[in-house]
Amino acid sequence: HTAQLRQALHIPSMSRRTCASYEVLQLRGIPQRVAQQDKFDAVVASVDAKFSSLKAEILALQRRIKDEQAAHQEQQLLLVSAAFDSDMYVVAIDGTRLPACMVTLIKVSPMGVLERMLQSGFKEKLERKIDTKFPAVALRVVLSALHYPTIDVYGQQPLSVLLDACKICDEWQLPAVMISLAAKMTSKEAATAKPSHVDWIAALIAAKVYTAANSPNRVWQEIAEEAKGALALAMPAAASAEGFKNLNIARVWQEIAEEAKGALALAMPAAASAEGFKNLDITTICQVMRYVQDATIELPSIDLRPVAPDFTKTRGVLSTDADPFSVTGIEFCLGASKKNGSNMGLGVTAIQNPGKPMCHGFIVGTLTISINHPQGTTPPKHRTTKDLKACKVRGWEWSNFLPLKDVDAFLEDGLCIVKGVFKIAAEQRRYELFNRWLIDSGRIEAPLSVPAALACLRACVSGINPWDMTVVTLKEALQGRDLSSQGPKKELQVRLADAVSVETQRNTCEDVSIACKSFTRLIACSFDILHEHDWDSLCQLDAASLSQVLCDDFLQIKTEEKLFKVVIKWAQCPGRAIEMVDKIMPLVRFPLLRSLTSPSPELKTLLQTSSILPALVKEALELQFTPLNKRKHEDSWSTFIPQKFALIEGIFGEETVPRNKPRGLCTNDEVPCLDPAQQLYSAMFQAP
């Protein structure tokens, strides 16, 4: 045993006596070392226990402080909300109504978008409501920041919400809120979850789009730099990999639509002309169209001498920028002219590129024109079209007038600089992209008009095109829907197109619904142009499309009388089912019509066949015969509740059609005040 112990303890050979003494000492020291080791382990365990306990206490303290901060912030919001008197609403894209204070919105936007929007006479002022196309969660962030400026209302928000909030601030021209939002986005505590590369791609695309609009304080540039850095860290080797250059463009577009939800579509507009683009299906095209945004085109400036004796009219050079989605190549140029000797007209002209396919008459967007001092010593004076408007192509000038006396502050040696920015509406760009897809895929040879493109879109989505079907297939399709199959082919086509449009409107997905609404928005914005130059295209609209046009807040028509004539002619189209007519007529604001006491033969015919038209006319006449002293002048018939009638599903929502109020752009319409005795005398004794 001694030899084995010596070998185990690596004790060198020595004399037997010395070895024995050494072994005794070694054996006596083992218990001591074991005791020391046990004591050391006990101390370490005690320290670990104390450290774990302290760590748990610190985490609990942090959670308590965070909960107390949240509770304190909630109390602040409740206290402020208690003193907050909302007198209007901001409506999100999904219809959510968020309360707001009109005075506050005007105060935070001096000479800005919100102040102009809430001026007396505008729709937002009259209805005390601002309709937007932004999500409710982002609107809530911005409105909270405006109404509670001393409270940190952002909290832990996802990157996508903060990005949408930045877009709202850019559109409403709120630089202070936008700067604080951008700081939150680029901080490490910006989101509840780590942003994905898709979130950063969306941020980079938005920054690229909005930078062209000269957003204040380089906010979008900072967001772009942060997004680039995040993307570089997220996928550092992907761009240099061998397979990157061999990606199939069709597969890329599919991934855009399905995974990135269209966010990449704006980042590579050249893909719209790539080989694989034509092979995409209609579902993917609608997904991509949903995320197409406005495009800003900066117009070449004009060096103008407005007070020169020989100045009468001048025009700038054509813009070189072009929308990559466009197939028609519309170009723009600024213009200025002297009006009546004391006013100056500023406008933009849209011109057809002769080397491109012919445009169908108009392009929809907004225009901002500014007068600038050559040295920049005076803040520029801006004139902006408040609402979307159709700019007629080939010679029609879109003008704003300005007194010449207001230009003096911008002159240096008689010279000022006129600048302009034309923002092509997202709805217009979706229509252009759809036309490009139709041409590239060989479905058409030349661009379709907006009404024709809308009919084509519904046909592609439903798989049913009544205008290409035979009489036999038309009758089978109508019989399968329990509709009349009697009449010539044209009537069968109209009847089936109305039925299919209602089915598409009721059963379609959100992407297709947004695409259809974009096209009807274009029709609404150009309604007066189509009414003058392309009357038949309005009468050929299907039932669902006409319903959406009549409900659109941007409907460009001067009077309800003109609109009613279009609806009457549409209703008399051969093949139009009276059931469809009855779902359209409640959208007409009959109390504003002055011709009801002397109805046209067309209206009399419809009164004989319609089940609801007599009730609508009776409701209108009751209002028109109400004496002035019984009307509510202050709140425009606040006590009147229009009757509810069945509409096409998914068009107007649950609200009642305000038939007693003029449309937003029909400023001269009002409910006429008729004298019953005079009307009876005229009907009985005066010659027709």
Side-chain angles (χ1 to χ4, degrees), residues 5 9 20-36:
L5 181 61
L9 297 174
S21 300
Y22 183 80
E23 290 172 354
V24 171
L25 292 174
Q26 289 291 331
L27 291 173
R28 288 177 178 176
I30 288 175
Q32 295 176 358
R33 289 196 297 271
V34 171
Q36 291 176 353

Side-chain angles (χ1 to χ4, degrees), residues 223-467:
I223 294 175
E225 292 299 325
E226 185 72 17
K228 290 177 183 177
L231 287 174
L233 293 175
M235 39 185 178
S240 58
E242 181 64 24
F244 181 75
K245 62 182 180 182
N246 298 322
L247 286 176
N248 180 272
I249 190 67
R251 181 178 177 183
V252 171
W253 273 87
Q254 290 288 351
E255 292 177 355
I256 290 168
E258 295 172 5
E259 297 180 10
K261 298 184 182 301
L264 290 175
L266 298 178
M268 45 182 190
S273 59
E275 181 64 23
F277 177 69
K278 64 183 181 182
N279 298 323
L280 299 180
D281 57 28
I282 184 61
T283 303
T284 304
I285 287 295
C286 289
Q287 287 177 331
V288 174
M289 283 197 292
R290 175 180 180 178
Y291 292 94
V292 170
Q293 300 180 4
D294 300 339
T296 301
I297 296 180
E298 188 169 349
L299 309 180
S301 60
I302 301 177
D303 294 340
L304 185 65
R305 297 185 181 275
V307 295
D310 57 345
F311 168 69
T312 56
K313 187 175 183 179
T314 185
R315 177 176 291 182
V317 299
L318 291 174
S319 59
T320 56
D321 295 337
D323 184 0
F325 291 157
S326 176
V327 295
T328 55
I330 302 299
E331 298 175 331
F332 304 90
C333 67
L334 285 171
S337 60
K338 185 176 291 186
K339 302 291 184 180
N340 303 325
S342 59
N343 293 317
M344 180 175 64
L346 299 173
V348 65
T349 300
I351 299 176
Q352 172 73 53
N353 188 322
K356 296 284 186 176
M358 186 61 66
C359 172
H360 285 276
F362 62 87
I363 185 168
V364 173
T366 57
L367 173 67
T368 299
I369 296 181
S370 63
I371 301 178
N372 303 263
H373 192 277
Q375 302 300 327
T377 57
T378 304
K381 188 178 186 66
H382 296 275
R383 287 294 178 93
T384 303
T385 52
K386 174 179 169 291
D387 295 321
L388 288 178
K389 190 174 182 181
C391 180
K392 188 176 177 183
V393 179
R394 297 187 297 275
W396 187 79
E397 290 194 354
W398 197 354
S399 297
N400 287 291
F401 294 99
L402 186 71
L404 283 174
K405 61 182 179 62
D406 293 345
V407 185
D408 293 341
F410 304 94
L411 299 180
E412 181 174 305
D413 296 332
L415 177 68
C416 67
I417 299 176
V418 178
K419 299 180 180 180
V421 173
F422 188 86
K423 183 179 287 188
I424 303 176
E427 293 84 353
Q428 178 75 32
R429 302 187 73 218
R430 291 167 187 157
Y431 156 71
E432 296 278 2
L433 181 62
F434 183 66
N435 256 328
R436 178 178 286 278
W437 176 71
L438 292 176
I439 293 175
D440 290 352
S441 60
R443 291 173 170 83
I444 59 174
E445 295 181 355
L448 298 176
S449 65
V450 179
L454 178 57
C456 182
L457 175 62
R458 293 193 186 276
C460 290
V461 171
S462 64
I464 301 175
N465 187 0
W467 313 106

Side-chain angles (χ1 to χ4, degrees), residues 169-190:
C169 293
D170 189 275
E171 183 169 313
W172 287 356
Q173 298 177 4
L174 304 171
V177 179
M178 190 172 179
I179 291 172
S180 61
L181 281 169
K184 191 72 175 178
M185 288 180 64
T186 55
S187 68
K188 294 182 179 180
E189 301 178 354

